Amino acid sequence: MTSTLRLEKVTPDNVEAACRLKVRPDQEGLVAPVVRSLAEAYAQPEVAWPRLILDGEQLVGFVMGFFLVRFDPDNPEDRLRSGIWRLNIAAEHQGRGYGRFAVESVCAEVRRRGRGRGRGQGRVTVSWVPGEHGPERFYLGLGFRPTGEMSGDQVVGELALTGAA
């Protein structure tokens, strides 16, 4: 991994490359493709934060954050959450720290959005499909802990943010 990592907005100039990004074949049933994420972001622009992960000029992944969402919108007691909606690292670029960079970037954006708005988010939420090829070890290694909740067939995990607003 180099020091030229950055996130970039999805634009007309890079959307085709974004849609071509593929995870490993054994991961395809565990994470939706980028094209679906972009459709969801288009349908919910008030909560979605889709970004490409670049190392220099090379596209290596995609991350989409979500902000201030209730998992159960019909339950007024359900708290607002922010976190990682989707994370796709290209098959040939996995294991190089790009996923960690993406998670850290979403955490930084959650902190940034919470500052001075009275909506400080002290946690980042993620969900994952459990299983042999799933990302559970990755997320647990970054400090996420299962909450005991499920979102459909996915385990819900949270990471406490240090220095949260």
Side-chain angles (χ1 to χ4, degrees):
M1 185 171 69
T2 68
S3 61
T4 60
L5 291 179
R6 69 182 190 286
L7 296 184
E8 190 172 287
K9 288 182 179 181
V10 180
T11 67
D13 292 332
N14 61 28
V15 70
E16 286 184 42
C19 290
R20 286 192 303 267
L21 189 139
K22 302 286 185 218
V23 295
R24 293 189 333 241
D26 60 335
Q27 298 169 331
E28 289 175 357
L30 304 173
V31 62
V34 173
V35 68
R36 177 170 171 187
S37 298
L38 293 177
E40 290 170 335
Y42 177 82
Q44 299 177 73
E46 67 282 357
V47 299
W49 191 67
R51 295 293 186 269
L52 301 180
I53 306 163
L54 287 106
D55 187 350
E57 296 305 312
Q58 184 166 26
L59 174 63
V60 297
F62 172 85
V63 66
M64 186 160 73
F66 68 89
F67 302 99
L68 302 174
V69 172
R70 292 186 199 285
F71 278 20
D72 182 359
D74 296 329
N75 178 0
E77 301 298 314
D78 190 27
R79 64 186 169 79
L80 292 170
R81 304 174 201 228
S82 297
I84 300 156
W85 189 345
R86 199 77 30 77
L87 177 58
N88 307 61
I89 302 298
E92 66 274 19
H93 296 292
Q94 293 185 14
R96 298 182 188 170
Y98 299 128
R100 175 182 290 275
F101 170 78
V103 169
E104 290 170 354
S105 297
V106 172
C107 290
E109 185 66 13
V110 169
R111 282 189 201 94
R112 187 191 72 74
R113 288 177 181 234
R115 284 193 194 111
R117 296 187 180 142
R119 302 190 273 195
Q121 297 282 298
R123 295 175 275 202
V124 171
T125 303
V126 69
S127 63
W128 62 82
V129 176
E132 179 183 354
H133 301 290
E136 183 172 55
R137 262 188 39 221
F138 168 75
Y139 287 120
L140 294 178
L142 292 177
F144 284 87
R145 295 295 168 247
T147 65
E149 300 170 271
M150 296 293 286
S151 178
D153 64 347
Q154 298 188 20
V155 174
V156 177
E158 291 186 336
L159 174 68
L161 292 177
T162 56

